[in-house]
Amino acid sequence: MSNSSLPTLPASDRPEVAARLRDALLGAAFTADGLLDLLGAPAYAALARSETVPALRATRGDTPLETLVRLFLLQQPVPHARVADVLPVAACLESGWLVSVGADEVAATVDVRPYGGPGGEDWFIVSDLGCAVGGAGGIGSREEGVVLGVGGASTTLAGITVRTPVSAALDLGTGSGIQALHAARHATRVTATDLNPRALHITALTLALSGAPAADLREGSLFEPVRDDETYELIVSNPPFVISPGARLTYRDGGMGGDDLCRSLVQEAGDRLREGGFAQFLANWQHVEGEDWQDRLRSWVPRGCDAWVVQREVQDITQYAELWLRDAGDHQGDTAAYEALYDAWLDEFEARKVRAVGFGWITLRRTGSDAPSITVEEWPHSIEQPLGDTVRTHFDRVDYLRAHDDAALLAAHFKLADEVIQEQVGLPGAEDPEHVVLRQHRGMRRATKVDTVGAGFVGVCDGTLSAGRILDAIAQLVGEDPVLLRDRTPAQIRLLVEQGFLEPVG
């Protein structure tokens, strides 16, 4: 089904109407906080799952906020007179935000959803009707040009993105514009691209309604709309990464074989990054029989870039196929047609010898080093969002360790990172623990085992003494040769710095 079968969108070249609409929404407390106060936590959380019944029950009154919730979030027709008390109805009808229904009612043409910005901003995300909650979970839409709102993938990418001031940022596959909206806070110029012209239109609406500067909007796939001489300090993308047979749904299906779209995106990003710039993507990748998935991801990293790849989840091919068939609502139709589609997905995977599919994030940083650092790891455990500062400091530590050999590490001073605790694991009553675990309560929330020397070392690290002097003192305490201890400990110090347990001082 083409975009022409979808509802007409509001005019994107009427910023004065968007500004008036924004003022009216804010005046009625149509914000993330206002919704929580009105609906209560259970109904508010249900909306995030696309369940509307609790919110319908909570908006039976006629206050301005209840009117707006029923109009824009629940997509219910509302009497013209009630809306006129809240919104500039004539302007909204003329520019297409509203449409007349029946004799005396109006309805919204798009979903408008409050979204709280990281600095307390009141933003609004525009999406197609019924598509506010993006990503797997089943919007049940087979419209190929539909534009989704904010889902878990969108917020994950926004949370891991490095937020430092930049002159130029690029959002590839902008969708509803959430990444461009975040980038507008710290980028002088934002360019947003999408293969779907409808997505670019909706991005313009999202930015205008949120009071953000307009972006440079360009139609095309991946880097096609970007000129050869254009480079950026930040590139972000929540691409159509779903590995599927064909490309039925523009918002999710890559249209290339296997995970080629994600691979191409990563490999081409290197030439578009300025020195020190970051490129950050969400991606799916194949686990192929007879191939190490980590080696597969390492082969994607372009020359001249450091990389940090984190696999957050792995699904076998049956789970993966079922997830995305349900996303499109295929399970709700004809049983024989659903089974045929399911079979086609499994045929595609078997032909490529794919046994599972991984999901996670990929961060590149352009570096002039002749010895790039590529870290590929699996981390399915809980993390603390936002993670942007953690991502940035990961690469700061990469630079530090690259510049310090073992002798320099022993001469350096370190301190234990904030909110790291030590756990001793062993049998009750035992004189010594079986092992000691260091655990982070911030960022990646890592845990790592250390030996007694390592535990003693981090316990003393407060930035006062050099690492070598601390080790000499430990050697004297435990009766060990200080030269041997200095020889074998730098590897453990390097790991503790790399994972963020120890921070260099000075």
Side-chain angles (χ1 to χ4, degrees), residues 290-310:
E291 179 179 290
D292 186 297
W293 71 269
Q294 293 178 317
D295 289 341
R296 183 182 188 84
L297 270 295
R298 289 188 185 94
S299 73
W300 290 9
V301 178
R303 293 182 62 183
C305 289
D306 292 330
W308 184 20
V309 181
V310 181

Side-chain angles (χ1 to χ4, degrees), residues 378-464:
E378 184 167 18
W379 190 256
H381 312 293
S382 65
I383 60 171
E384 180 193 43
Q385 284 276 40
L387 205 68
D389 284 345
T390 298
V391 174
R392 177 183 53 79
T393 56
H394 166 87
F395 289 95
D396 289 344
R397 294 193 298 269
V398 165
D399 284 342
Y400 178 86
L401 292 172
R402 189 156 43 203
H404 288 71
D405 59 16
D406 287 355
L409 281 183
L410 291 175
H413 295 236
F414 301 95
K415 70 180 183 70
L416 190 64
D418 294 336
E419 297 193 39
V420 173
I421 64 170
Q422 176 179 300
E423 301 173 357
Q424 295 187 347
V425 181
L427 294 174
E431 184 175 346
D432 296 311
E434 293 180 13
H435 57 266
V436 176
V437 175
L438 300 178
R439 190 177 302 278
Q440 299 169 347
H441 280 246
R442 304 296 301 273
M444 291 293 287
R445 293 176 174 163
R446 296 186 186 276
T448 189
K449 291 182 182 179
V450 292
D451 58 21
T452 53
V453 170
F457 180 83
V458 299
V460 178
C461 281
D462 60 2
T464 304

Side-chain angles (χ1 to χ4, degrees), residues 138-320:
I139 64 166
S141 174
R142 296 182 180 85
E143 299 274 11
E144 78 174 33
V146 73
V147 178
L148 274 60
V150 177
S154 302
T155 56
T156 293
L157 179 58
I160 68 172
T161 300
V162 176
R163 301 295 176 190
T164 54
V166 296
S167 61
L170 173 64
D171 175 17
L172 288 176
T174 187
S176 63
I178 179 60
Q179 308 306 329
L181 184 56
H182 275 278
R185 294 184 71 244
H186 61 102
T188 304
R189 178 173 59 88
V190 176
T191 301
T193 73
D194 205 290
L195 181 63
N196 182 4
R198 189 178 182 85
L200 297 176
H201 192 135
I202 283 183
T203 291
L205 297 174
T206 290
L207 294 172
L209 195 58
S210 298
D216 177 6
L217 303 176
R218 304 182 190 179
E219 183 180 344
S221 177
L222 301 182
F223 289 100
E224 286 178 1
V226 179
R227 297 193 308 270
D228 290 342
D229 61 344
E230 289 182 299
T231 57
Y232 301 86
E233 292 143 293
L234 176 67
I235 300 173
V236 294
S237 183
N238 176 18
F241 53 67
V242 176
I243 301 171
S244 62
R248 289 190 303 154
L249 303 175
T250 304
Y251 71 85
R252 67 164 210 193
D253 297 325
M256 297 185 186
D259 52 17
D260 283 354
L261 182 137
C262 292
R263 176 185 55 79
S264 298
L265 181 63
V266 174
Q267 289 181 336
E268 293 175 18
D271 291 336
R272 303 296 184 176
L273 277 178
R274 297 176 186 174
E275 194 70 20
F278 287 91
Q280 298 185 262
F281 315 109
L282 300 186
N284 274 172
W285 44 79
Q286 299 172 145
H287 285 231
V288 179
E289 182 179 339
E291 179 179 290
D292 186 297
W293 71 269
Q294 293 178 317
D295 289 341
R296 183 182 188 84
L297 270 295
R298 289 188 185 94
S299 73
W300 290 9
V301 178
R303 293 182 62 183
C305 289
D306 292 330
W308 184 20
V309 181
V310 181
Q311 179 168 272
R312 296 287 290 156
E313 183 180 2
V314 182
Q315 292 181 310
D316 67 49
I317 56 174
T318 59
Q319 292 174 313
Y320 188 80

